[in-house]
């Protein structure tokens, strides 16, 4: 494989919806233990890129490598279920809208997939679930239904749900964009905690201060391209590209 | 107006004694009504689930026939369809040995189309994020359907399904025209004998109403159970 350190390697990735090109020859790598933040204006393709990593969208060309599994999309009509499942097994996804299962309690939510997909023992899963719920500060809510929880609580439960599958990489799609402002902090703290533990993560975010604190690398996207990438000190403080400067300025106002 | 009012035959408006005396006979009719209703709803539900899922299939050879079926059944009167089954089919050698069976078949096939539409709309109204969350957790199509989508769709489908159930119960009265001796038929027999149509048909109406009240009560209990995970209400 290419280097021991690379956890994610994306090569020449393209994605079109009908006639519209959303991602144009995307190349980047994520090292093991790194936190990469995707920033950029809406419609720049960052969410689509993240969804491609989890194969919620199927790219039209290029390749994605996560851990030691490579899937190439060149000259392909469709992917095999096995391929999709295998690549997905390396990543856990956290959505902007949480998408907890409303008919299941918090505990049922987080043990559902390992119970059904991996057929693991329920007792062990519950113990592991308790450990993760403690970590995200949700243990006291283990038997509640999502509808009775705040957005911040739901999102923290959703993070625990993704972690239950032991992903190599955690993918966050604007994890705090649907939250009331006073609930943003509690979710960001959980993500920072994960970063400290060395969890590899890719995060689409509009929280620039958070990105500055947590990211090892920032990717600035616009119009389906990665225009600029580098450590936060470079991209956020001394952007080379005019578009990046423009974008950051708009955020400051 | 006054003339019309003074001409009302009050003694024929409702005769409780007659209603009471004919009750056992009517309840025998109700028994047939309920047998047809329960069997019809049962078959219509099972068929409806399959047709509804076929209607959403990515395969045209499932989707198109399901679509035509639903369109035909929704677009033709149940009574006409029952006539076709009972009086038409013998022409090609298919004869029902009992009118009750013909009634059940007709009502089942007809209402399956409505159930199929309920199934389809309920499944479609489960948010797409639920599918995405499940598949990002590596759950397959069948697992997602079974564990995530159908439990939520069932809750959504309950009220319209019970509407259909009530329509089925009331629709069984159409079987009276192919000589099935259900509730309406029995009422008509007594009405014909006593010339007291008003009493008999009002009594029949009240009995249908009571049955639907019971069904509605059952619906409420089920809804409560399925809504328990929602914090409001």
């Amino acid at each position: 494989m290419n280097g021991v350190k690379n956890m994610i390697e994306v090569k020449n990735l393209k994605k079109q919806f009908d006639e519209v090109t959303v991602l144009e020859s995307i190349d980047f790598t994520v090292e093991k233990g790194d936190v990469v933040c995707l920033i950029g204006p809406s419609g720049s393709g960052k969410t689509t890129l993240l969804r491609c990593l989890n194969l919620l969208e199927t790219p039209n060309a290029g390749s994605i490598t996560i851990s030691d599994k490579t899937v190439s999309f060149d000259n392909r009509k469709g992917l095999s279920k096995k391929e999709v499942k295998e690549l997905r097994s390396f990543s856990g996804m956290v959505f902007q809208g949480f998408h907890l299962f409303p008919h299941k309690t918090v505990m049922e939510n987080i043990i559902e997939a390992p119970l059904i997909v991996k057929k693991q023992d329920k007792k062990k899963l519950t113990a592991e679930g308790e450990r993760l719920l403690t970590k995200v500060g949700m243990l006291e809510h283990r038997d509640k239904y999502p509808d009775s929880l705040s957005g911040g609580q739901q999102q923290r439960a959703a993070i625990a749900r993704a972690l239950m599958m032991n992903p190599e990489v955690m993918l966050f799609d604007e994890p705090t964009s649907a939250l009331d402002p006073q609930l943003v902090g509690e979710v960001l703290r959980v993500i920072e905690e994960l970063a400290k533990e060395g969890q590899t993560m890719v995060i689409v975010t509009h929280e620039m201060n958070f990105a500055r604190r947590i990211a090892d690398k920032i990717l600035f996207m616009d119009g389906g391209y990665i225009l600029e990438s580098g450590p936060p000190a470079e991209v956020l403080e001394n952007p080379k590209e005019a578009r990046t400067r423009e974008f950051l300025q708009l955020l400051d106002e | 107006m006054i003339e019309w009012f003074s001409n009302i035959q009050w003694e024929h408006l409702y005769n409780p004694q007659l209603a009471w005396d004919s009750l056992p006979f009517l309840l025998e009719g109700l028994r047939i009504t309920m047998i047809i209703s329960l069997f019809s709803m049962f078959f219509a539900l099972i068929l409806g689930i399959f047709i509804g899922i076929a209607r959403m299939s990515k395969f045209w050879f499932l989707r198109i026939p399901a679509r035509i079926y639903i369109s035909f059944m929704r677009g033709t009167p149940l009574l006409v369809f029952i006539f076709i089954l009972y009086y038409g089919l013998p022409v090609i050698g298919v004869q029902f040995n009992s009118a009750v069976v013909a009634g059940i078949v007709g009502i089942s096939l007809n209402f399956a189309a409505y159930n199929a539409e309920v199934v389809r709309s309920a499944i479609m109204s489960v948010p797409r994020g639920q599918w995405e969350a499940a598949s990002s957790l590596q759950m397959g199509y069948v697992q997602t359907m079974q564990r995530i989508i159908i439990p939520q769709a069932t809750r959504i489908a309950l009220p319209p399904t019970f509407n259909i159930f009530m329509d089925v119960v009331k629709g069984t009265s159409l079987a009276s025209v192919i000589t099935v001796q259900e509730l309406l038929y029995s009422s008509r027999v007594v009405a014909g004998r006593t010339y007291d149509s008003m009493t008999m048909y009002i009594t029949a109406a009240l009995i249908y109403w009571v049955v639907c009240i019971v069904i509605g009560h059952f619906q409420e209990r089920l809804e409560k159970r399925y809504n328990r995970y929602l914090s409001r209400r």
Side-chain angles (χ1 to χ4, degrees):
Chain A
M1 265 343 305
N2 42 70
V4 264
K5 293 198 300 177
N6 278 350
M7 181 58 87
I8 302 180
E9 192 162 310
V10 173
K11 277 189 190 158
N12 198 25
L13 204 69
K14 282 194 179 70
K15 173 66 184 171
Q16 290 170 310
F17 289 115
D18 298 319
E19 299 296 291
V20 187
T21 303
V22 203
L23 295 177
E24 193 79 74
S25 59
I26 298 286
D27 284 280
F28 73 95
T29 56
V30 179
E31 289 178 18
K32 188 170 164 58
D34 265 5
V35 177
V36 172
C37 286
L38 288 172
I39 63 168
S42 42
S44 58
K46 46 194 196 314
T47 288
T48 305
L49 175 54
L50 195 79
R51 288 167 60 87
C52 283
L53 294 178
N54 199 255
L55 296 181
L56 285 174
E57 307 291 352
T58 309
N60 300 92
S63 71
I64 295 174
T65 306
I66 302 182
S67 194
D68 52 4
K69 172 71 184 172
T70 301
V71 177
S72 167
F73 308 98
D74 293 322
N75 311 312
R76 298 284 298 270
K77 276 249 172 68
L79 304 172
S80 75
K81 276 182 190 165
K82 188 168 161 279
E83 241 176 341
V84 172
K85 249 189 150 167
E86 211 179 331
L87 192 72
R88 265 187 193 150
S89 71
F90 294 114
S91 66
M93 184 91 175
V94 174
F95 300 88
Q96 182 178 352
F98 333 129
H99 304 333
L100 290 176
F101 307 130
H103 58 304
K104 294 182 182 293
T105 63
V106 167
M107 183 55 90
E108 287 167 351
N109 257 281
I110 71 173
I111 67 171
E112 173 74 8
L115 189 69
I116 299 306
V117 177
K118 295 185 176 171
K119 315 252 186 278
Q120 286 171 346
D121 176 57
K122 194 169 177 179
K123 258 203 185 124
K124 275 188 202 147
L125 285 174
T126 309
E128 171 67 2
E130 281 169 356
R131 190 182 72 79
L132 285 175
L133 285 180
T134 308
K135 190 162 155 178
V136 300
M138 286 292 292
L139 188 63
E140 56 179 317
H141 303 299
R142 51 171 287 171
D143 295 322
K144 291 187 183 161
Y145 288 101
D147 198 46
S148 65
L149 301 172
S150 73
Q153 292 169 332
Q154 291 192 47
Q155 192 61 300
R156 285 185 282 141
I159 292 172
R161 180 176 69 174
L163 287 171
M164 278 297 282
M165 295 297 269
N166 289 318
E168 302 274 347
V169 186
M170 284 287 280
L171 308 172
F172 292 85
D173 181 16
E174 303 195 25
T176 59
S177 294
L179 297 177
D180 291 340
Q182 78 274 16
L183 302 175
V184 169
E186 60 188 68
V187 172
L188 295 185
R189 270 194 295 279
V190 167
I191 300 174
E192 287 194 71
E193 197 58 41
L194 292 175
K196 275 185 205 141
E197 291 171 14
Q199 172 78 55
T200 313
M201 298 192 273
V202 181
I203 306 169
V204 174
T205 186
H206 290 293
E207 304 280 341
M208 288 307 141
N209 290 326
F210 168 69
R212 188 175 292 124
R213 276 203 311 275
I214 195 179
D216 297 292
K217 185 154 82 174
I218 304 260
L219 304 181
F220 174 73
M221 289 188 71
D222 192 31
Y225 290 94
I226 295 177
L227 283 192
E228 192 162 355
S229 76
E234 256 174 48
V235 180
L236 296 179
E237 315 301 339
N238 277 311
K240 289 191 209 75
E241 299 288 329
R243 278 296 292 133
T244 318
R245 276 198 296 276
E246 217 173 289
F247 171 72
L248 292 171
Q249 229 153 41
L250 276 172
L251 281 184
D252 274 347
E253 278 163 15
Chain B
M1 182 72 187
I2 292 169
E3 200 189 339
W4 167 77
F5 198 74
S6 59
N7 279 342
I8 291 179
Q9 304 167 291
W10 292 104
E11 67 279 14
H12 287 153
L13 194 58
Y14 198 77
N15 180 347
Q17 190 59 47
L18 173 62
W20 180 253
D21 290 340
S22 49
L23 200 56
F25 185 65
L26 294 187
L27 290 183
E28 176 55 27
L30 177 64
R31 196 175 69 87
I32 306 295
T33 291
M34 289 319 294
I35 287 173
I36 300 175
S37 299
L38 292 174
F39 274 108
S40 298
M41 191 59 190
F42 177 74
F43 292 128
L45 263 180
I46 300 212
L47 247 146
I49 289 169
F50 281 108
I51 297 169
I53 290 174
R55 170 77 176 73
M56 287 182 290
S57 170
K58 58 182 172 185
F59 303 113
W60 64 267
F61 55 87
L62 292 176
R63 194 174 63 240
I64 304 290
R67 231 179 140 145
I68 294 172
Y69 180 89
I70 292 168
S71 167
F72 177 77
M73 287 302 181
R74 292 211 301 176
T76 53
L78 174 55
L79 187 55
V80 174
F81 186 58
I82 289 174
F83 277 178
I84 293 173
L85 287 181
Y86 197 63
Y87 298 121
L89 284 190
V91 175
I92 58 165
V94 180
Q95 184 116 33
F96 289 96
N97 52 11
S98 97
V100 171
V101 173
I104 291 175
V105 170
I107 294 168
S108 304
L109 291 178
N110 196 268
F111 279 99
Y114 294 94
N115 281 330
E117 284 294 90
V118 169
V119 167
R120 183 171 75 95
S121 64
I123 287 177
M124 284 195 330
S125 60
V126 176
R128 213 169 62 119
Q130 295 290 306
W131 284 99
E132 293 186 345
S135 49
S136 81
L137 291 164
Q138 302 163 54
M139 295 175 73
Y141 175 83
V142 176
Q143 290 170 335
T144 306
M145 259 303 190
Q146 221 174 38
R147 314 253 329 165
I148 308 300
I149 305 302
I150 288 179
Q152 295 183 63
T154 305
R155 185 184 75 81
I156 298 164
L158 274 181
T161 303
F162 272 90
N163 268 347
I164 291 177
F165 191 18
M166 290 184 191
D167 276 345
V168 164
V169 171
K170 294 181 291 182
T172 55
S173 58
L174 292 176
S176 65
V177 296
I178 54 167
T179 72
V180 175
Q181 296 176 22
E182 42 67 75
L183 179 53
L184 178 60
Y185 189 96
S186 311
S187 319
R188 203 163 60 207
V189 168
V190 182
R193 215 164 45 211
T194 60
Y195 298 104
D196 193 345
S197 303
M198 200 59 157
T199 296
M200 293 321 296
Y201 293 137
I202 284 181
T203 308
L206 290 175
I207 294 175
Y208 281 114
W209 190 16
V210 168
V211 170
C212 286
I213 287 172
V214 172
I215 292 172
H217 180 73
F218 192 57
Q219 168 185 355
E220 238 171 69
R221 280 179 45 179
L222 263 179
E223 277 182 27
K224 262 199 194 118
R225 215 174 87 195
Y226 271 89
N227 285 341
R228 74 184 183 285
Y229 58 77
L230 299 175
S231 59
R232 273 168 314 217
R233 96 195 63 214

